[in-house]
Amino acid sequence: MQRGVGKRHPARRMARGFGYSALAGLALLVLSIPIGLLMNFVEDGHESPVFVVPLILGVFLTIVGWIMWGSWSATLDRYSEPLGTTAKLTLAATAAIVLGVLCFLLAAAPLAVYTDTDPPDDLLPVAIVLCGLGILLVAGTLVGSAVYGGIALGGPRWWWVGVLLSGGLIGAATGLALGQVALTVLCVAALVVSCFGYRWALVSGLRQRRPDAVEAEGWRSGSG
């Protein structure tokens, strides 16, 4: 079987689209250099939309485009057609995390725009919704990826490994933030158990000859 997804696959076309977006963002950044030099001679030129808009748009397109293009291309090069569940979830998880981070940036944008005055009250509900959506996307992706990782390696009965990992991470961060030593120690112990749990799930999956376990072992040993 040929390794990698063909150029005509819709996912491959989307990956190329992300790459073109990154190039467009890079072009806008290059264009913002002479614009910025000209605006330097204009009063309050650094706040002019002529300079700010291409600069912000260029940064956004470049960062998001390169991340999405790189991650999607690497995933599509690694798997073969037809794409399995693991490959599809990998592509979706990358997109969800990038969208989540984008929601955080959009929610914080008024703070960067209104530096001298308070942002309008109408923007507060929008910022709250964007923050909530970003948290759901990022946290949901991390938890889902952790749970599915254990299932993909060892089978459905290893779902608890991902729950321990994600719960341990969230609980340890919460414990540190609130100064709860007992909670932090308990969650760190859960993290340690989850690390061993993934190894046990891998061993179980190798005994069952599960495709994801075999592939993971190949990558771990350097033969994948």
Side-chain angles (χ1 to χ4, degrees):
M1 183 181 297
Q2 183 180 359
R3 198 68 166 176
V5 176
K7 295 182 179 180
R8 296 184 178 180
H9 194 279
R12 185 69 78 176
R13 293 176 181 174
M14 289 189 65
R16 287 199 297 270
F18 292 134
Y20 294 143
S21 299
L23 291 177
L26 187 60
L28 286 174
L29 290 179
V30 173
L31 181 62
S32 67
I33 295 176
I35 294 177
L37 293 177
L38 292 176
M39 291 295 104
N40 189 44
F41 298 100
V42 179
E43 185 177 358
D44 296 330
H46 65 284
E47 298 179 354
S48 173
V50 177
F51 173 65
V52 175
V53 171
L55 178 62
I56 295 178
L57 187 59
V59 170
F60 167 74
L61 288 176
T62 302
I63 294 177
V64 174
W66 281 125
I67 292 176
M68 293 296 293
W69 173 80
S71 60
W72 275 48
S73 296
T75 301
L76 295 174
D77 290 340
R78 178 179 177 182
Y79 294 97
S80 303
E81 297 185 62
L83 289 177
T85 303
T86 301
K88 293 178 180 179
L89 288 179
T90 302
L91 298 176
T94 304
I97 290 178
V98 171
L99 286 176
V101 174
L102 175 60
C103 287
F104 292 135
L105 293 177
L106 290 176
L111 298 178
V113 175
Y114 296 94
T115 55
D116 299 328
T117 60
D118 294 332
D121 295 336
D122 295 341
L123 292 179
L124 181 59
V126 178
I128 294 176
V129 171
L130 287 174
C131 282
L133 181 59
I135 292 173
L136 286 177
L137 285 171
V138 175
T141 301
L142 294 177
V143 173
S145 300
V147 173
Y148 179 76
I151 295 175
L153 289 176
R157 67 189 183 95
W158 293 95
W159 60 269
W160 58 269
V161 178
V163 174
L164 273 183
L165 177 64
S166 54
L169 286 173
I170 296 173
T174 303
L176 286 174
L178 299 179
Q180 299 292 327
V181 178
L183 176 61
T184 304
V185 172
L186 179 63
C187 291
V188 169
L191 285 175
V192 173
V193 174
S194 69
C195 292
F196 285 103
Y198 278 108
R199 176 59 184 172
W200 299 331
L202 175 61
V203 173
S204 176
L206 290 175
R207 291 174 181 171
Q208 304 172 50
R209 303 299 299 172
R210 295 181 63 87
D212 288 296
V214 173
E215 183 178 10
E217 179 63 18
W219 285 100
R220 190 186 68 83
S221 61
S223 60

